[in-house]
């Protein structure tokens, strides 16, 4: 096990070198999707449904075709049946590729405002835009269902006569025309609640929110005369886009080459093909490369936000603060097609606590909104909002400090988790102890309408497949090529693990990101997996390099390979310590002792370390306007081992910022016809730097034994606690518990009215 | 050993599928150097010395700097000392990187007409051209030496006070101010010649010739703010350019990323950095990407042609036709810096024959011409011209058929070669037998001034390092990435070996060429090595894939990995033949039996099979004009195993065409000041399609045991026999033996005069 004391010996891991891509990005020279262009390239634009739910009676493209400069027009009819129907995903779940295909372009029915209906490629973006306005579509408008309760109500409009149920990574069962269900159980929930001394039951709603990546979706596609499709795009996973395009267009996987460009944010939203199949089909039809750039409105309208929800949480605790039982009900939007994050929402909802008797019921609910996508710890932010405010109330009602209450119940290594397996090593106690001991927790908070709140967060993280390749040069420098798109500095965190393993300096490692034709399969940069799983691929590859180099040293020394040992950057003859080679010294001898060396690994590691975080926040509520101001914010998180502490802090801060936005401002606004009316980030009310306090990041390092340097993923869990922590702080400030996100001034004023009402009563 | 009978069982190797890059190239859509552009890119032009030999007294760039649109100007002073002085090459040879650096841009002295003096980057190519005209250079002009005899003469102008002698891959010793020498010996040459019944001694000259690739040198370079240099260029070897740029600019190798674009011909001339370091330095100075496109004149003036020579060959044979001794003297131009192909010229000159007593003396001679570069079987065409015409004369003088004479002396497996090691399996007897039995050899050739000639050719070929990477997709298709630039269809020949090894169809393999950051080290596509050596990398990688897949089959069948056998495309349980998986079937199960798989190999194979060829040609000489017309041409060659017979035939035909051009037309013309005056392909007199007959290709397959499918390299040896074969045919047509290349009408008329003179005498 990687205990902190052993991790202290690391030479590169744990330091904070400058990122190799930083300066180019700051200078505006890194190549993002919009910077990329090909000679003779056409520009694509997409006609999108103005209706939330409508049968497409006819599409007449004749007027558009006549416009000078229009080179190709496609509709759903141009697309084949996907080559694969169901792609297994996780434990019994799967993706229905027909849904993915229908989400790319409507076939007969538009399921949400913004659903693609047709696409045009033209000589300029302006001509393409003019052309889509000339496409005549006849719709039969249907009544939309716009939230989970509407969709689950009797007599609700049915979106799909048939569908393959399935949540993000578990099987669900269709139980209602628009919804499917899963249930998780531990012990006897009813008995546990009956035995409780205190029971809290509350209902919650949250709204649809978007990841809000600053760079929209952009791609350029080419279909060459030899049948090779090349796609340059902004994505979290070149192979994910490759696989989807291949299946949706029914072409062999090897014929789709995806070249990932720099990415301006993803957060889970950029591993699904939206415009890529459209640009590719246009490229084939026009016989020229086609670029499509989504506008901000299109990005909000047509890509995958996170679910709005209805949640009902009932939990009980004994007088001593031990949780005894719970009955949890979560209904999450799936959007227009099945497969939202309900399984993850349920699985993570109470995993951080030992709850002996619990029933969790989850519903994956179709509504006339874009197909829901993972957004940083998908589903957990919503379910934690409900559970962590109930926990806060239970702590209050049992008269306990909220940290002490959690410490009493928190899951420790070996505790049995909801799916039956024992909890791996986890820094939950260390985390909560750090909160308790932190100056913020112990600082006085004086003044009216001020309150301090705290919430904990949990996330699984992912392992999955990653590939890395290493080549050693004669001057002792190395190239590291991986398949992981760099969302958050992983070029550097992977290079650091490489330098650590090879005993060289970080400056001697030059990282690059391969395309789908030059690097082994690598699952997308999601699930906080890159520094963990691709890190293991790098480490394994470095071991292969060291083995080959030791063999060369043996050859040069005329020794047996086993006689050569490597440590602290030096190859030594174990029986003759005078025989020594530094890495660079030996690298210079490779060419003439058998040739240059390289190595490659594709790994699918287990041993992903769970992520736990706790956030502590002080707020002040302006009781005149209902505005909540954040006075102080501290995040605590177990990073296992922080490869680059500044980057870890950046993830913690970034996640907190997004969670704060979700807590206080962000939401999709639909009108009665189901049309999205706030299609800019200003109206959507993404927070700005002015809305944010400094966020302090406290990193705890407990070591993850599943990774050679003790790494856990760190990217997702920081978005989980903010809404609950802020709700708990608001309660302390105004004495009423918020039960709906976002906690806008209007909602806070309503809560204040409520309080005055109940005080008056 | 790979005997032809075993090779017959191959399923893909030996067929002729369509090349995957063909259509894009024919359509003009493949991306060559000139097609590549970057936003904000500047255009570079190079100021070149008008003098063959001159001291640079001063360079004044002030007028040029003032020109609007000029962004950077560099001279030799902007360049550092190379980071490495001597790079070992072959057996005791090396490259002096200071010479490479001085060849890129002159430092104090211009050594040839066309030597780079300064370079400019500007907003347009036109401004750059204007700017170079505004650079004021003061020269002190020195007397040039323009051929090997001038350079070796007493009192010749000395090019370099000091130099590191060394030929292409052997050590040489400085014996004259402008020349270094090597000697090879077998037995006692004087004794062998004394014992001969017939001795022939002749002197030869040949002129400097260029590879004449249709695409000139083109590169675009970028130096980013993080210190990473990226170069897109036309090259035979991305790693060669990487290494040279790294050393010449004294930056770490990992900081230079070379991305090879399509290549419009190379023939040995495109693995040296000429404009790449200039574009890179300009890019750094201007802080923008810089593209340089060499004009045709620059390509002829400043890149590396093949040596002009002086040769003297004395060989003797006994009455029975057995060669008894030889004394061979070769003086080859090295150009302005040491290191021409003299070692290869000497080594290959008589290796195809058993010559018990021989001395070979070679001189690497510096002259004021561009630094010589390998050109397809470097050095062999010249030395064979001399030796194969002497052989022809010895056959004539011993009264033997020229094929029978050769059959008597030809090297067979196990015969001792000049460097002392035994000859590996070689199809020399099969080859000559095929010539004897061919209708062309036996067809009557009637008419005046017509003659039939024949010559044999030999070339070593190269092994060296290659890397390949393979990834298997869920649909059973695979990606194959190698580091070998594709000059001649190797994408396909490598894919074919991959399909053969994996038991899949050629359409299921999609090849690509990696850049220096995404693929393991791969030596350049030279030495006829790609289909051979990179083929072995592909084969080894395929074996790793099959092993991993067998392990997965074992996992699925709950069997031991050793229980799974693979044959004819099927994985079978050896104890239960009902358990079977086709490759595609098993590929579909990889994702969920442990994850996708990839594999990589970097190999440095021995076992390269030598190349032998024989060319048979009928000519007619127009005695009025001296023009030689080729009536019929047949090439014979041992391919070991022809992976793609059409491509092998293409190599044989292409090599013959270049050899015919060399024989009849091509030469560098210098004026008395040492300035090149024929700087276009028209004046240089590259042959056109109208000059060429149909060339028949007869492929012999003897199998090379050093390669799993029996492959020998095929690209180089076909250029070797033409000058000698044509000279022998001309002799039969006009009764005089040509002794100088090219055998232009003027030279033929001179020979005819000679004949009339001697007839009159």
């Amino acid at each position: 096990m990687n205990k902190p004391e052993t991790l202290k010996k690391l030479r590169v891991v744990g330091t904070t070198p400058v990122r190799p891509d930083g300066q180019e990005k700051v200078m505006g020279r890194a190549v993002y999707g919009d910077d990329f262009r090909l000679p003779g390239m056409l520009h694509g634009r997409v006609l999108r449904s103005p209706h939330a739910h409508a049968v497409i009676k006819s599409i007449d493209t004749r007027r558009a075709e006549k416009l000078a400069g229009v080179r190709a027009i496609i509709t759903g009819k141009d697309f084949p049946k996907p080559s694969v129907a169901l792609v297994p995903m996780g434990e019994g779940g799967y993706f229905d590729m027909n849904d993915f295909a229908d989400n790319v372009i409507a076939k007969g029915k538009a399921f949400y405002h913004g659903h693609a209906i047709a696409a045009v490629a033209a000589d300029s973006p302006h001509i393409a835009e003019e052309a889509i306005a000339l496409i005549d579509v006849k719709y039969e408008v249907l009544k939309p269902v716009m939230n989970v309760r509407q969709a689950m109500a009797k007599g609700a409009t049915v979106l799909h006569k048939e569908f393959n149920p399935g949540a993000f990574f578990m099987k669900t069962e269709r139980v209602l025309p628009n919804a499917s269900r899963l249930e998780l159980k531990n012990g006897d929930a009813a008995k546990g609640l009956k035995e409780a001394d205190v029971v809290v039951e509350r209902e919650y709603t949250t709204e649809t929110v978007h990841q809000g990546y600053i760079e929209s979706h952009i791609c350029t596609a080419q279909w060459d005369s030899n049948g090779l499709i090349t796609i340059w795009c902004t994505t979290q996973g070149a192979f994910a886009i490759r696989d989807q395009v291949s299946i949706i267009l029914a072409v062999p996987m090897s014929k789709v080459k995806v070249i990932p460009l720099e990415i301006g944010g993803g957060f889970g939203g950029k591993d699904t093909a939206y415009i890529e199949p459209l640009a590719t089909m246009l490229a084939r039809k026009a016989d020229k490369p086609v670029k499509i750039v989504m506008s901000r409105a299109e990005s909000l309208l047509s890509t995958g936000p996170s679910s709005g929800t209805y949640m009902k949480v009932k939990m009980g605790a004994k007088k001593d603060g031990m949780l005894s039982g719970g009955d949890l009900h979560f209904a999450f939007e799936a959007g227009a097609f099945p497969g939202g994050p309900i399984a993850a929402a349920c699985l993570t909802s109470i995993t951080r606590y030992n709850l002996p008797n619990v029933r969790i019921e989850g519903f994956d609910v179709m509504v006339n909104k874009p197909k829901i996508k993972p957004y940083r710890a998908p589903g957990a932010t919503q379910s934690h909002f409900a559970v962590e405010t109930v926990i806060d109330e239970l702590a209050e009602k049992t008269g306990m400090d909220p940290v002490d209450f959690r410490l009493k119940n928190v899951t420790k290594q070996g505790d049995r988790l909801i799916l039956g397996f024992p909890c791996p090593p986890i820094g939950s106690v260390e985390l909560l102890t750090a909160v308790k001991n932190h100056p913020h927790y112990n600082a006085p908070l004086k003044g009216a309408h001020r309150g301090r709140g705290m919430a904990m967060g949990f996330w699984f993280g992912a392992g999955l497949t990653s590939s890395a390749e290493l080549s050693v040069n004669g001057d002792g420098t190395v190239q590291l090529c991986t398949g992981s798109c760099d969302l958050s500095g992983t070029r550097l965190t992977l290079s650091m693990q490489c330098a650590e393993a090879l005993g060289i300096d970080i400056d001697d490692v030059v990282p690059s990101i391969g395309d789908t034709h030059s690097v082994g399969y690598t699952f997308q940069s999601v699930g906080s997996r890159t520094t963990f799983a691709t890190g293991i691929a790098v480490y394994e590859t470095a071991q292969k390099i060291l083995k080959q180099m030791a063999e060369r040293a043996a050859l040069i020394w005329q020794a047996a390979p086993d006689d050569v040992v490597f440590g602290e950057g030096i190859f030594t003859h174990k029986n003759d310590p005078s025989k020594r080679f530094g890495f660079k010294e030996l690298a210079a001898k490779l060419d003439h002792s058998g040739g240059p060396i390289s190595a490659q690994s594709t790994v699918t590691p287990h041993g992903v370390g769970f992520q736990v975080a706790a956030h502590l926040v002080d707020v002040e509520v302006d009781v005149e306007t209902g505005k909540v101001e954040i006075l102080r914010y501290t995040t605590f998180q177990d990073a296992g081992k922080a490869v680059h502490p500044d980057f870890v802090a950046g993830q913690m801060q970034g996640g907190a910022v997004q969670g704060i936005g979700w807590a206080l401002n962000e939401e999709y606004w639909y009108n009665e016809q189901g049309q999205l009316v706030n299609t800019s980030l200003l109206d959507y009310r993404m927070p700005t730097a002015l809305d944010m306090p400094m966020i302090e990041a406290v990193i705890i390092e407990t070591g993850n034994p599943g990774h050679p340097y003790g790494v856990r993923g760190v990217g997702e869990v920081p978005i989980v606690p903010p809404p609950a922590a802020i709700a708990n702080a608001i309660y302390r400030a105004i004495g009423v518990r918020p039960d709906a996100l976002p906690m806008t001034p209007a909602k806070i004023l309503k809560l204040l009215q409520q309080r005055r009402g109940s005080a008056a009563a």
Side-chain angles (χ1 to χ4, degrees), chain A:
Chain A
M1 180 163 165
N2 300 297
K3 271 295 188 193
E5 54 271 30
T6 68
L7 300 180
K8 274 188 195 141
K9 290 186 190 157
L10 298 172
R11 202 175 37 84
V12 183
V13 166
T15 64
T16 55
V18 173
R19 58 196 293 166
D21 51 322
Q23 212 168 327
E24 283 291 288
K25 284 178 173 169
V26 169
M27 305 281 281
R29 299 202 288 205
V31 178
Y32 288 83
D34 204 26
D35 302 311
F36 184 80
R37 58 207 72 163
L38 286 175
M41 180 179 87
L42 302 177
H43 298 267
R45 283 291 183 275
V46 182
L47 174 67
R48 298 187 179 278
S49 171
H51 306 296
H53 201 183
V55 174
I56 302 164
K57 306 296 283 185
S58 66
I59 306 176
D60 184 344
T61 58
R62 285 172 297 179
R63 284 200 302 149
E65 278 157 21
K66 283 179 196 144
L67 186 67
V70 169
R71 303 295 169 188
I73 304 181
I74 54 169
T75 68
K77 287 186 178 153
D78 289 289
F79 285 75
K81 197 175 147 55
S83 57
V84 175
L86 298 181
V87 173
M89 178 66 206
E91 307 294 322
Y94 44 75
F95 292 136
D96 186 334
M97 294 311 296
N98 290 297
D99 292 344
F100 277 69
D102 289 351
N103 192 37
V104 162
I105 190 160
K107 300 187 185 85
K109 203 171 167 192
F111 285 104
Y112 52 92
H113 176 208
H115 198 169
I117 303 294
V120 174
D123 292 348
S124 81
H126 313 292
I127 297 172
E129 243 158 62
E130 268 188 76
I132 61 169
L134 294 174
I135 297 173
D136 302 304
V137 188
K138 291 214 176 93
Y139 295 100
E140 179 195 330
V141 179
L142 306 176
K143 193 175 157 52
V145 283
M146 298 308 296
N147 64 46
V148 292
R149 278 171 298 179
Q150 273 178 23
M152 294 173 80
K154 229 178 169 174
T157 313
V158 179
L159 272 79
H160 300 278
K161 258 190 208 159
E162 287 177 21
F163 66 87
N164 276 304
F168 187 39
F169 53 96
M170 282 179 77
K171 183 92 192 83
T172 59
E173 267 179 61
R174 186 175 191 171
V175 290
L176 285 168
N178 288 322
S180 64
R181 180 178 177 277
L182 63 86
E183 193 180 74
L184 301 169
K185 266 185 176 177
N186 235 2
D188 182 336
K191 182 174 153 275
L193 285 167
K194 201 175 286 174
E195 287 168 8
D197 297 310
V198 188
V199 172
V200 172
E201 178 172 3
R202 290 209 172 254
E203 285 178 79
Y204 300 87
T205 59
T206 72
E207 299 302 322
T208 312
V209 295
H210 196 269
Q211 299 86 349
Y213 30 80
I214 296 304
E215 182 203 30
S216 190
H217 293 253
I218 303 174
C219 75
T220 305
Q222 179 177 282
W223 193 318
D224 83 10
S225 27
N226 298 109
L228 183 72
I229 295 163
T230 308
I231 297 171
W232 295 260
C233 63
T234 173
T235 181
Q236 294 181 244
F239 286 88
I241 299 298
R242 193 272 308 252
D243 291 353
Q244 291 168 48
V245 168
S246 150
I247 292 172
I248 290 169
L249 303 186
V251 296
M253 286 179 174
S254 58
K255 292 282 190 189
V256 185
K257 175 175 177 174
V258 175
I259 303 177
L261 303 172
E262 294 293 350
I263 176 168
F267 312 110
K270 276 198 190 146
D271 60 1
T272 291
Y274 298 110
I275 46 176
E276 289 80 2
L278 300 178
T280 307
M281 285 302 265
L282 285 170
R284 181 163 80 164
K285 206 159 180 181
D287 205 15
K288 288 206 165 184
V290 174
K291 179 176 188 171
I292 298 183
V293 179
M294 266 196 187
S295 67
R296 174 66 59 199
E298 284 180 293
S299 168
L300 290 166
L301 279 167
S302 316
T303 68
S306 189
S307 313
T309 69
Y310 165 76
M311 303 179 282
K312 190 163 144 186
V313 169
K314 185 175 181 180
M315 289 172 77
K318 304 220 174 173
K319 269 184 209 153
D320 63 358
M322 291 304 289
L323 290 169
S324 62
D327 194 6
L328 288 69
H329 167 98
F330 300 109
F332 272 54
E333 290 171 355
F337 299 94
I342 185 64
C346 293
L347 283 165
T348 59
S349 62
I350 53 94
T351 314
R352 65 206 164 283
Y353 302 119
N354 289 307
L355 192 50
N357 300 296
V358 65
R359 187 187 77 110
I360 308 174
E361 182 181 39
F363 288 89
D364 188 51
V365 187
M366 279 168 286
V367 294
N368 291 110
K369 292 184 180 177
K371 181 166 168 39
I372 292 300
K373 270 288 299 165
Y375 173 20
R376 212 169 185 162
T381 302
Q382 295 100 319
S383 67
H384 278 63
F385 169 56
V387 171
E388 285 288 309
T389 50
V390 167
I391 290 282
D392 195 65
E393 198 168 346
L394 286 171
E396 187 194 16
K397 292 200 166 154
T398 51
M400 287 182 73
D401 172 275
V403 176
D404 288 336
F405 185 89
R406 286 175 171 87
L407 265 171
K408 203 147 201 171
N409 290 287
V410 81
T411 307
K412 290 175 280 290
Q413 181 176 356
D415 289 346
R416 195 159 152 268
L417 298 180
I418 189 90
L419 287 176
F421 58 87
C423 184
I426 191 168
S428 44
V429 172
E430 292 87 339
L431 180 87
L432 292 169
T433 309
V435 176
K436 267 202 90 165
N437 296 334
H438 193 273
H440 183 176
Y441 198 71
N442 300 296
L445 178 63
K446 286 178 188 162
H449 312 303
R450 290 182 165 194
R452 175 168 297 154
M454 182 267 180
M456 197 176 161
F458 171 91
W459 182 247
F460 293 106
L464 301 165
T465 302
S466 277
S467 298
E469 188 166 352
L470 262 172
S471 294
V472 181
N473 304 318
D475 62 3
T477 59
V478 302
Q479 288 95 246
L480 170 65
C481 182
T482 71
S484 287
C485 300
D486 183 358
L487 308 185
S488 54
T490 51
R491 278 182 185 87
L492 184 53
T493 58
L494 297 172
S495 296
M496 290 170 75
Q497 295 179 66
C498 175
E500 186 73 58
L502 295 179
I504 57 179
D505 290 341
I506 185 65
D507 288 342
D508 289 330
V509 183
V510 172
S512 68
I513 297 160
D515 59 54
T516 58
H517 275 54
S518 68
V519 73
Y521 187 89
T522 301
F523 199 85
Q524 46 264 41
S525 295
V526 297
S528 309
R529 61 178 295 279
T530 306
T531 299
F532 167 74
T534 312
I536 291 177
V538 170
Y539 180 85
E540 293 296 328
T541 309
Q543 301 312 309
K544 291 182 186 174
I545 290 287
L546 292 174
K547 182 167 180 286
Q548 289 186 61
M549 289 183 72
E551 285 164 6
R552 296 298 178 87
L555 193 74
I556 293 165
W557 294 329
Q558 297 183 292
D562 288 350
D563 289 343
V564 181
V565 290
F566 178 78
E568 295 181 14
I570 307 287
F571 297 89
T572 320
H573 192 305
K574 69 177 181 191
N575 304 322
D576 179 357
S578 73
K579 287 184 173 151
R580 294 161 61 87
F581 282 130
F583 185 92
K584 287 201 171 197
E585 211 178 341
L586 185 53
K589 296 186 186 297
L590 293 175
D591 271 26
H592 298 277
S593 66
I597 61 170
S598 319
Q600 187 269 356
S601 300
T602 299
V603 302
T604 305
H606 299 284
V608 51
F610 293 163
Q611 304 171 33
V612 282
H615 288 200
L616 190 59
V617 56
D618 297 348
V619 302
E620 179 174 328
V621 177
D622 182 330
V623 293
E624 301 294 322
T625 62
K627 184 174 185 299
V628 174
E629 195 179 338
I630 293 172
L631 303 172
R632 186 171 179 181
Y633 203 105
T634 310
T635 63
F636 302 78
Q637 189 171 326
D638 179 11
K641 173 69 193 176
V643 174
H644 191 299
D646 287 356
F647 287 6
V648 171
Q651 288 296 316
M652 291 165 69
Q653 293 163 328
V657 166
Q658 289 192 311
I660 294 168
W662 198 335
L664 296 178
N665 309 314
E666 299 178 35
E667 64 183 309
Y668 271 41
W669 275 48
Y670 283 94
N671 67 16
E672 285 194 359
Q673 289 75 46
Q675 290 161 322
L676 187 65
V677 292
N678 59 341
T679 58
S680 78
L681 291 187
L682 190 66
D683 295 329
Y684 170 79
R685 196 52 184 102
M686 175 85 72
T688 69
L690 289 178
D691 296 306
M692 290 294 145
M694 178 57 202
I695 294 167
E696 192 183 340
V698 180
I699 301 170
I700 289 119
E701 294 185 325
T702 63
N704 169 21
H707 182 282
Y709 302 124
V711 171
R712 293 174 194 279
V714 296
E716 289 171 294
V717 75
I719 202 176
V720 177
I726 293 169
N728 293 337
I730 290 172
Y731 167 69
R732 296 266 169 3
I734 64 169
V736 199
R737 290 200 176 267
D739 59 2
L741 296 184
M743 297 176 284
T744 55
K747 286 213 193 90
I748 298 293
L749 285 178
K750 223 166 146 189
L751 289 176
L752 288 165
Q753 273 177 347
Q754 229 176 334
R755 185 185 66 169
R756 280 192 290 270
S758 60

